[in-house]
Amino acid sequence: MAVPVWGVASPKEKVTVKFAGQTRSTKAGKDGKWMVKLKPLKASKTPRKMTISGNTEIVLSNVVVGEVWICSGQSNMQYAVDNAPKVKALLPTAKNIRSFEVKRTVSFEEEDNVIGNWEGVPPSSAVAFGFAYFLEKAEDIPVGILHASWGSSSLEAWMPRDMVKDYPYFKAIMDDLDADTETRNRINSTLSNGESWSTKEDIFMRRQPNILYNAMMKPLAPYACRGLVWYQGERNTRYFSGVPEVTEDTWFHRVIGMKEYGDVLKSWIKRYRKEWNNNSMHFSIVMLPGYGKGTAIKPSIDPKSPTALSWAWMRESQMKVLDLPHTSVVNTIDLGDEKNIHPKDKLPIGIRLALAAEKHTLNKEIVAEGPTLKKVEKLNKQLAVHFNHAQGLKTIDHKAPRGFWVADESMQWKPAEAKLQGETVILSNSSITNPLYVRYAFAGKPDVNLVNGANLPAYPFRTDNQIPVVE
């Protein structure tokens, strides 16, 4: 892709950029801003110099060309390599990986500059490093990661302000922030106190809407990158639908719920592509893994239940992004920890993200997804579930497939007896004579074992259109 190089100079100053045999010149505008675009470059591990000259000269050395990705989200993206033993074990064999750690800060205005430096080391994020590691190993090209994440941040924290025109709920949140002098003064005071702040203030800032985008994401555009890996959603699982009325103690709950999250996420992706002026910018969404708690209204649930208000509804919402081109959802339904919202099993996520990037952005003919629902066929008292990406369909423990539930018109869900038949799963339950609907792995922390020949897990799904009654 074309490579933008931009900066500031004196108004109308001539600026020339030289790199890899290319020379591009332009004049700064009245505001001093300038930009040139280098023609697409071949990947290269050989360090070269980039010279930017005008009234003065800047020389950037040790510049390589490769696959650049933004990795963003909340705490499970921020989750450190040191805390994920299997990912940490990869460090000694890592090579050709560079990272830019975006400083965690906020701003009430969209910023032009971001705080951070390129370094010749892997990113601090376990998921981002695992992804970069396996992508570099597969393609033997440099991988650069722009890491911009912050624990417990909501989708709204990373939304540009102009999305208020599309979402009245977001406008209401932003109007309240604009009018909240106490909050604004508190944040400005924290920012003016220097480089570090208390954990209490850290939490207070990162849970606000929009101001993370302003400081940590807006300045990255339009850096030439292949795509963005997004591992976020936990903050938006507190409620099933809508934006709740919250108390002074739960002010940070004021974010969209699971039901609407996917639609807002799709709009967010379109808006980011506009910011980068790149309609083919790939977005790889990390599905939320297994977890055993419910919503703020009812946190204690049966983690195996297909009807509980669990993270199953968020996963379904996340899958909506597949309506858009140049998107992928990395399945984590076999991962996670029932009691820990920060599971350590980050290694498979990195592997699967790399596979998705190879297939969808580098056009490699590989299997990058697990089985997905193709259709359900009625067979008397049984249902036959047919899958896409099902070559070599099997179970990892050689036992019968688990995690399937069936229901008739009464919508009373019963665990299904499941058996493999080639690339199809046959379902039945002795108490249901007319099965109509299927739910698979549709629970907070389901017990699953169905994979394809590439050992990638089957995606959760449901075939009914029932929306739960929220208590």
Side-chain angles (χ1 to χ4, degrees):
M1 64 182 68
V3 179
V5 181
W6 71 97
V8 291
S10 298
K12 299 191 176 181
E13 179 182 347
K14 183 181 178 182
V15 178
T16 300
V17 176
K18 294 181 179 181
F19 181 70
Q22 294 188 46
T23 301
R24 292 287 180 273
S25 296
T26 189
K27 280 189 176 181
K30 291 180 181 179
D31 58 1
K33 293 182 179 180
W34 60 267
M35 179 184 290
V36 300
K37 290 187 178 181
L38 301 175
K39 290 182 179 179
L41 298 153
K42 288 185 177 180
S44 172
K45 291 182 277 189
T46 304
R48 286 175 285 189
K49 291 181 179 180
M50 178 184 289
T51 303
I52 304 151
S53 56
N55 295 339
T56 57
E57 185 175 87
I58 296 170
V59 179
L60 305 177
S61 61
N62 194 18
V63 179
V64 296
V65 180
E67 292 296 298
V68 177
W69 285 78
I70 299 167
C71 289
S72 187
Q74 59 178 111
S75 53
N76 276 305
M77 178 60 83
Q78 187 178 338
Y79 194 89
V81 172
D82 282 348
N83 295 330
K86 290 183 179 179
V87 178
K88 187 177 181 181
L90 303 176
L91 283 172
T93 53
K95 60 181 182 178
N96 300 320
I97 298 172
R98 301 185 178 196
S99 61
F100 186 104
E101 299 282 343
V102 176
K103 178 178 170 59
R104 296 180 181 96
T105 188
V106 299
S107 174
F108 290 109
E109 304 295 333
E110 292 187 353
E111 297 293 341
D112 289 328
N113 296 312
V114 67
I115 302 169
N117 294 289
W118 276 110
E119 296 185 79
V121 296
S124 61
S125 156
V127 168
F129 170 47
F131 165 55
Y133 179 90
F134 290 104
L135 186 59
E136 191 282 330
K137 286 287 179 277
E139 299 300 323
D140 191 30
I141 51 176
V143 176
I145 299 294
L146 297 160
H147 176 214
S149 68
W150 206 345
S152 75
S153 57
S154 62
L155 174 59
E156 289 75 9
W158 301 94
M159 285 168 63
R161 176 181 280 270
D162 59 18
M163 288 186 72
V164 298
K165 67 182 185 298
D166 301 314
Y167 293 98
Y169 91 91
F170 188 50
K171 183 179 187 303
I173 293 171
M174 293 309 300
D175 286 348
D176 286 352
L177 181 63
D178 291 343
D180 190 347
T181 304
E182 183 179 344
T183 288
R184 296 175 72 88
N185 287 343
R186 176 177 171 181
I187 291 172
N188 283 326
S189 175
T190 300
L191 293 173
S192 66
N193 282 340
E195 288 297 303
S196 61
W197 39 74
S198 68
T199 300
K200 183 177 180 181
E201 294 307 312
D202 187 278
I203 293 170
F204 186 73
M205 290 195 298
R206 72 198 195 206
R207 291 184 175 181
Q208 302 293 343
N210 169 249
I211 59 178
L212 276 67
Y213 168 81
N214 289 345
M216 298 176 63
M217 190 65 74
K218 173 65 170 68
L220 300 181
Y223 200 99
C225 59
R226 185 70 69 187
L228 188 151
V229 175
W230 182 244
Y231 191 166
Q232 190 281 330
E234 299 92 335
R235 253 298 294 289
N236 294 79
T237 62
R238 298 179 186 276
Y239 293 86
F240 173 71
S241 179
V243 180
E245 291 295 323
V246 297
T247 67
E248 186 177 337
D249 293 331
T250 60
W251 57 269
F252 54 89
H253 282 207
R254 201 166 179 216
V255 298
I256 202 67
M258 294 187 281
K259 181 172 176 284
E260 297 86 5
Y261 178 90
D263 291 322
V264 180
L265 187 62
K266 285 198 294 184
S267 294
W268 179 84
I269 289 172
K270 292 177 184 176
R271 176 61 182 78
Y272 270 46
R273 286 175 175 165
K274 183 180 177 182
E275 193 66 36
W276 262 264
N277 193 27
N278 180 3
N279 287 330
S280 62
M281 184 176 177
H282 193 89
F283 281 75
S284 200
I285 309 302
V286 178
M287 180 188 289
L288 293 194
Y291 184 57
K293 288 187 180 179
T295 60
I297 295 171
K298 189 178 181 182
S300 181
I301 60 169
D302 176 358
K304 309 297 182 194
S305 168
T307 57
L309 282 181
S310 68
W311 282 12
W313 298 96
M314 175 54 96
R315 297 181 197 115
E316 180 179 77
S317 211
Q318 289 178 304
M319 293 286 282
K320 288 182 180 180
V321 303
L322 297 178
D323 295 342
L324 301 176
H326 310 295
T327 58
S328 51
V329 176
V330 169
N331 190 4
T332 62
I333 198 62
D334 57 330
L335 307 175
D337 187 312
E338 185 176 310
K339 297 181 179 179
N340 187 353
I341 203 168
H342 300 121
K344 292 184 177 182
D345 52 359
K346 298 292 193 281
L347 182 68
I349 299 176
I351 293 171
R352 294 169 193 176
L353 282 167
L355 288 173
E358 288 178 73
K359 178 177 179 178
H360 297 294
T361 70
L362 299 179
N363 302 314
K364 301 294 180 180
E365 300 237 344
I366 59 169
V367 178
E369 293 96 6
T372 58
L373 176 65
K374 185 176 183 180
K375 66 176 182 178
V376 176
E377 183 183 5
K378 189 92 164 62
L379 303 173
N380 297 320
K381 295 182 179 181
Q382 298 177 321
L383 293 175
V385 182
H386 301 271
F387 295 93
N388 302 302
H389 315 298
Q391 189 170 3
L393 192 68
K394 61 182 180 179
T395 58
I396 54 173
D397 55 6
H398 308 294
K399 296 180 180 179
R402 297 189 294 272
F404 286 92
W405 295 70
V406 293
D408 56 19
E409 66 278 356
S410 71
M411 299 305 292
Q412 298 299 306
W413 293 93
K414 303 289 185 182
E417 179 184 320
K419 58 184 179 181
L420 279 174
Q421 196 172 90
E423 295 179 359
T424 302
V425 176
I426 308 298
L427 305 176
S428 62
N429 180 283
S430 58
S431 65
I432 298 179
T433 57
N434 185 35
L436 298 173
Y437 307 110
V438 183
R439 288 188 176 183
Y440 170 68
F442 204 83
K445 182 70 173 74
D447 178 16
V448 294
N449 62 349
L450 188 64
V451 298
N452 60 14
N455 290 317
L456 294 170
Y459 282 74
F461 68 85
R462 66 187 179 105
T463 63
D464 62 287
N465 60 3
Q466 289 284 106
I467 296 297
V469 176
V470 182
E471 297 175 11

Coordinates of all heavy atoms in Angstrom, one line a residue, residues 382-429:
Q382 N -34.7 -36.0 14.6 CA -33.3 -35.6 14.7 C -33.1 -34.3 13.9 O -33.9 -33.9 13.0 CB -32.4 -36.7 14.2 CG -32.4 -38.0 15.0 CD -31.5 -39.0 14.4 OE1 -31.4 -39.1 13.2 NE2 -30.8 -39.8 15.2
L383 N -32.0 -33.6 14.2 CA -31.5 -32.5 13.4 C -30.1 -32.8 13.0 O -29.3 -33.2 13.8 CB -31.6 -31.2 14.3 CG -32.9 -30.7 14.7 CD1 -32.8 -29.5 15.6 CD2 -33.8 -30.3 13.5
A384 N -29.8 -32.5 11.7 CA -28.5 -32.6 11.2 C -27.9 -31.2 11.0 O -28.4 -30.4 10.3 CB -28.5 -33.4 9.9
V385 N -26.7 -31.0 11.6 CA -26.1 -29.7 11.5 C -24.9 -29.8 10.6 O -24.0 -30.6 10.7 CB -25.5 -29.3 12.9 CG1 -24.9 -27.9 12.8 CG2 -26.7 -29.2 14.0
H386 N -25.0 -29.0 9.5 CA -24.0 -29.0 8.5 C -23.1 -27.7 8.7 O -23.6 -26.7 9.0 CB -24.6 -29.0 7.1 CG -25.5 -30.1 6.8 ND1 -25.0 -31.3 6.3 CD2 -26.8 -30.3 7.0 CE1 -26.0 -32.2 6.1 NE2 -27.1 -31.6 6.6
F387 N -21.8 -27.9 8.4 CA -20.8 -26.8 8.7 C -20.0 -26.4 7.4 O -19.8 -27.2 6.5 CB -19.8 -27.3 9.7 CG -20.4 -27.5 11.1 CD1 -20.8 -28.8 11.5 CD2 -20.5 -26.5 12.0 CE1 -21.4 -29.1 12.7 CE2 -21.1 -26.8 13.3 CZ -21.5 -28.0 13.6
N388 N -19.6 -25.2 7.5 CA -18.5 -24.7 6.6 C -17.2 -25.0 7.3 O -17.1 -25.1 8.5 CB -18.6 -23.2 6.3 CG -20.0 -22.8 5.7 OD1 -20.3 -23.3 4.7 ND2 -20.7 -21.9 6.4
H389 N -16.1 -25.0 6.5 CA -14.7 -25.2 7.1 C -14.7 -26.4 8.0 O -14.1 -26.4 9.0 CB -14.3 -23.9 8.0 CG -14.6 -22.6 7.3 ND1 -14.0 -22.2 6.2 CD2 -15.4 -21.6 7.7 CE1 -14.5 -21.0 5.9 NE2 -15.3 -20.6 6.8
A390 N -15.3 -27.5 7.5 CA -15.5 -28.7 8.3 C -14.6 -29.8 7.9 O -14.8 -31.0 8.4 CB -17.0 -29.1 8.3
Q391 N -13.7 -29.7 7.0 CA -12.9 -30.8 6.5 C -12.2 -31.4 7.7 O -11.5 -30.7 8.5 CB -11.9 -30.3 5.5 CG -11.2 -31.5 4.8 CD -10.4 -31.1 3.6 OE1 -10.3 -29.9 3.3 NE2 -9.7 -32.0 2.9
G392 N -12.3 -32.7 7.9 CA -11.6 -33.4 9.0 C -12.3 -33.2 10.3 O -11.7 -33.3 11.4
L393 N -13.7 -32.9 10.3 CA -14.4 -32.6 11.5 C -14.2 -33.8 12.5 O -14.3 -34.9 12.2 CB -15.9 -32.5 11.2 CG -16.8 -31.9 12.3 CD1 -16.5 -30.5 12.6 CD2 -18.3 -32.1 11.9
K394 N -13.9 -33.4 13.8 CA -13.6 -34.4 14.8 C -13.8 -33.7 16.2 O -14.1 -32.5 16.3 CB -12.2 -34.9 14.6 CG -11.2 -33.8 14.8 CD -9.7 -34.3 14.6 CE -8.7 -33.1 14.7 NZ -7.3 -33.6 14.6
T395 N -13.6 -34.5 17.2 CA -13.5 -34.0 18.6 C -12.1 -34.2 19.1 O -11.5 -35.2 18.8 CB -14.6 -34.7 19.5 OG1 -14.3 -36.1 19.5 CG2 -16.0 -34.4 19.0
I396 N -11.7 -33.2 19.9 CA -10.3 -33.3 20.3 C -10.0 -34.4 21.3 O -8.9 -34.8 21.5 CB -9.9 -31.9 21.0 CG1 -10.9 -31.6 22.1 CG2 -9.8 -30.8 20.0 CD1 -10.4 -30.4 22.9
D397 N -11.1 -35.0 21.9 CA -10.9 -36.0 22.9 C -11.5 -37.4 22.4 O -11.6 -38.3 23.1 CB -11.5 -35.7 24.2 CG -12.9 -35.3 24.1 OD1 -13.5 -35.4 23.0 OD2 -13.5 -34.8 25.1
H398 N -11.9 -37.4 21.1 CA -12.4 -38.6 20.5 C -13.7 -39.1 21.1 O -14.1 -40.2 20.9 CB -11.4 -39.8 20.5 CG -10.1 -39.4 19.9 ND1 -9.9 -39.0 18.6 CD2 -8.8 -39.2 20.6 CE1 -8.6 -38.7 18.4 NE2 -8.0 -38.8 19.6
K399 N -14.4 -38.2 21.9 CA -15.7 -38.5 22.5 C -16.8 -37.9 21.6 O -16.5 -37.2 20.6 CB -15.7 -38.1 23.9 CG -14.7 -38.8 24.8 CD -14.8 -38.3 26.2 CE -13.8 -39.0 27.1 NZ -13.8 -38.5 28.5
A400 N -18.0 -38.1 22.0 CA -19.1 -37.4 21.3 C -19.0 -35.9 21.4 O -18.6 -35.4 22.4 CB -20.4 -38.0 21.9
P401 N -19.5 -35.2 20.4 CA -19.5 -33.7 20.5 C -20.3 -33.2 21.7 O -21.4 -33.8 22.0 CB -20.1 -33.3 19.2 CG -19.9 -34.4 18.2 CD -20.0 -35.7 19.1
R402 N -19.8 -32.2 22.3 CA -20.5 -31.6 23.5 C -20.9 -30.2 23.2 O -20.3 -29.6 22.3 CB -19.6 -31.7 24.7 CG -19.2 -33.1 25.2 CD -18.5 -33.0 26.5 NE -17.2 -32.4 26.5 CZ -16.1 -33.0 26.2 NH1 -16.1 -34.3 25.9 NH2 -14.9 -32.4 26.2
G403 N -21.8 -29.7 24.0 CA -22.2 -28.3 23.9 C -23.4 -28.0 23.1 O -23.7 -26.8 22.9
F404 N -24.1 -29.0 22.6 CA -25.3 -28.8 21.8 C -26.5 -28.9 22.6 O -26.6 -29.8 23.5 CB -25.3 -29.8 20.7 CG -24.4 -29.6 19.5 CD1 -23.1 -30.2 19.6 CD2 -24.7 -28.8 18.5 CE1 -22.2 -30.1 18.5 CE2 -23.8 -28.6 17.4 CZ -22.5 -29.2 17.5
W405 N -27.5 -28.0 22.3 CA -28.8 -28.0 23.0 C -29.9 -27.9 21.9 O -29.6 -27.3 20.8 CB -29.0 -26.8 23.9 CG -28.0 -26.9 25.1 CD1 -26.7 -26.7 25.1 CD2 -28.4 -27.1 26.5 NE1 -26.1 -26.8 26.3 CE2 -27.2 -27.1 27.2 CE3 -29.6 -27.4 27.1 CZ2 -27.1 -27.2 28.6 CZ3 -29.6 -27.5 28.5 CH2 -28.4 -27.5 29.2
V406 N -31.0 -28.6 22.1 CA -32.1 -28.5 21.1 C -33.4 -28.1 21.8 O -33.5 -28.3 23.1 CB -32.3 -29.9 20.4 CG1 -31.1 -30.2 19.5 CG2 -32.5 -31.0 21.4
A407 N -34.3 -27.6 21.0 CA -35.6 -27.2 21.6 C -36.7 -27.4 20.5 O -36.4 -27.3 19.3 CB -35.6 -25.8 22.1
D408 N -38.0 -27.6 20.9 CA -39.1 -27.5 20.0 C -39.8 -26.2 20.1 O -39.2 -25.2 20.6 CB -40.0 -28.7 20.3 CG -40.6 -28.7 21.7 OD1 -40.5 -27.7 22.4 OD2 -41.0 -29.8 22.2
E409 N -41.0 -26.1 19.7 CA -41.7 -24.8 19.7 C -41.9 -24.3 21.1 O -42.1 -23.1 21.2 CB -43.1 -24.9 18.9 CG -44.1 -25.8 19.6 CD -43.9 -27.3 19.3 OE1 -43.0 -27.7 18.5 OE2 -44.7 -28.1 19.9
S410 N -41.8 -25.1 22.1 CA -42.0 -24.6 23.5 C -40.7 -23.8 23.9 O -40.8 -23.1 25.0 CB -42.2 -25.8 24.4 OG -40.9 -26.5 24.6
M411 N -39.6 -23.9 23.2 CA -38.4 -23.2 23.5 C -37.8 -23.6 24.9 O -37.1 -22.9 25.5 CB -38.6 -21.7 23.5 CG -39.0 -21.2 22.1 SD -37.8 -21.7 20.8 CE -36.4 -20.8 21.2
Q412 N -38.1 -24.9 25.3 CA -37.5 -25.4 26.5 C -36.3 -26.2 26.1 O -36.4 -27.3 25.5 CB -38.5 -26.4 27.2 CG -39.8 -25.7 27.7 CD -39.5 -24.5 28.7 OE1 -38.8 -24.8 29.7 NE2 -40.0 -23.3 28.4
W413 N -35.1 -25.7 26.4 CA -33.9 -26.2 25.9 C -33.5 -27.5 26.6 O -33.5 -27.5 27.9 CB -32.8 -25.2 25.9 CG -33.0 -24.1 25.0 CD1 -33.7 -22.9 25.2 CD2 -32.8 -24.1 23.6 NE1 -33.8 -22.1 24.1 CE2 -33.2 -22.8 23.0 CE3 -32.1 -25.0 22.7 CZ2 -33.1 -22.5 21.7 CZ3 -32.0 -24.6 21.4 CH2 -32.5 -23.4 20.9
K414 N -33.0 -28.5 25.9 CA -32.6 -29.7 26.5 C -31.2 -30.1 25.9 O -30.9 -29.8 24.7 CB -33.5 -30.9 26.1 CG -35.0 -30.7 26.5 CD -35.1 -30.7 28.0 CE -36.6 -30.6 28.4 NZ -36.8 -30.7 29.9
P415 N -30.3 -30.6 26.7 CA -29.0 -31.0 26.2 C -29.2 -32.1 25.1 O -30.0 -33.0 25.2 CB -28.3 -31.6 27.4 CG -29.3 -31.9 28.4 CD -30.5 -30.9 28.1
A416 N -28.5 -32.0 24.0 CA -28.6 -32.9 22.9 C -27.7 -34.1 23.0 O -26.5 -33.9 23.4 CB -28.4 -32.2 21.6
E417 N -28.1 -35.2 22.5 CA -27.2 -36.3 22.3 C -26.7 -36.1 20.9 O -27.4 -35.9 19.9 CB -28.0 -37.6 22.4 CG -27.1 -38.8 22.1 CD -27.8 -40.2 22.0 OE1 -28.7 -40.3 22.9 OE2 -27.5 -41.0 21.2
A418 N -25.4 -36.0 20.8 CA -24.7 -35.6 19.5 C -23.8 -36.7 19.0 O -23.1 -37.3 19.8 CB -24.0 -34.3 19.6
K419 N -23.8 -36.9 17.7 CA -22.9 -37.9 17.1 C -22.4 -37.4 15.8 O -23.1 -36.7 15.0 CB -23.5 -39.3 17.0 CG -24.8 -39.3 16.1 CD -25.4 -40.7 16.1 CE -26.6 -40.8 15.3 NZ -27.2 -42.1 15.3
L420 N -21.1 -37.7 15.5 CA -20.5 -37.2 14.3 C -20.9 -38.2 13.1 O -20.9 -39.4 13.3 CB -19.0 -37.2 14.4 CG -18.3 -36.0 15.1 CD1 -16.8 -36.3 15.2 CD2 -18.5 -34.8 14.2
Q421 N -21.2 -37.6 12.0 CA -21.4 -38.4 10.8 C -20.7 -37.6 9.6 O -21.3 -36.7 9.0 CB -22.9 -38.5 10.6 CG -23.3 -39.6 9.6 CD -24.8 -39.8 9.6 OE1 -25.5 -39.1 8.8 NE2 -25.4 -40.6 10.4
G422 N -19.5 -38.0 9.4 CA -18.7 -37.3 8.4 C -18.5 -35.8 8.8 O -17.9 -35.6 9.9
E423 N -18.9 -34.9 8.0 CA -18.7 -33.5 8.4 C -20.0 -32.9 8.9 O -20.3 -31.7 8.8 CB -18.2 -32.7 7.1 CG -16.8 -33.2 6.7 CD -16.3 -32.5 5.5 OE1 -17.0 -31.6 5.0 OE2 -15.1 -32.7 5.1
T424 N -20.9 -33.7 9.4 CA -22.2 -33.3 10.0 C -22.3 -33.8 11.4 O -21.7 -34.9 11.8 CB -23.3 -34.0 9.1 OG1 -23.1 -33.5 7.8 CG2 -24.7 -33.6 9.6
V425 N -23.0 -33.1 12.2 CA -23.3 -33.6 13.6 C -24.8 -33.8 13.7 O -25.7 -33.0 13.3 CB -22.9 -32.5 14.6 CG1 -23.4 -32.9 16.0 CG2 -21.4 -32.3 14.6
I426 N -25.2 -35.0 14.1 CA -26.6 -35.4 14.3 C -27.0 -35.2 15.7 O -26.4 -35.7 16.6 CB -26.8 -36.9 13.8 CG1 -26.2 -37.1 12.4 CG2 -28.3 -37.2 13.9 CD1 -26.9 -36.3 11.3
L427 N -28.2 -34.5 15.9 CA -28.6 -34.2 17.3 C -30.0 -34.8 17.6 O -30.9 -34.8 16.7 CB -28.7 -32.7 17.4 CG -27.5 -31.8 17.1 CD1 -27.8 -30.4 17.2 CD2 -26.3 -32.2 18.0
S428 N -30.2 -35.2 18.8 CA -31.5 -35.6 19.2 C -31.6 -35.5 20.7 O -30.6 -35.4 21.4 CB -31.7 -37.1 18.8 OG -30.8 -37.9 19.4
N429 N -32.8 -35.6 21.2 CA -33.1 -35.7 22.7 C -34.3 -36.5 22.8 O -35.4 -36.2 22.2 CB -33.3 -34.3 23.3 CG -33.5 -34.4 24.8 OD1 -34.7 -34.7 25.2 ND2 -32.5 -34.1 25.6

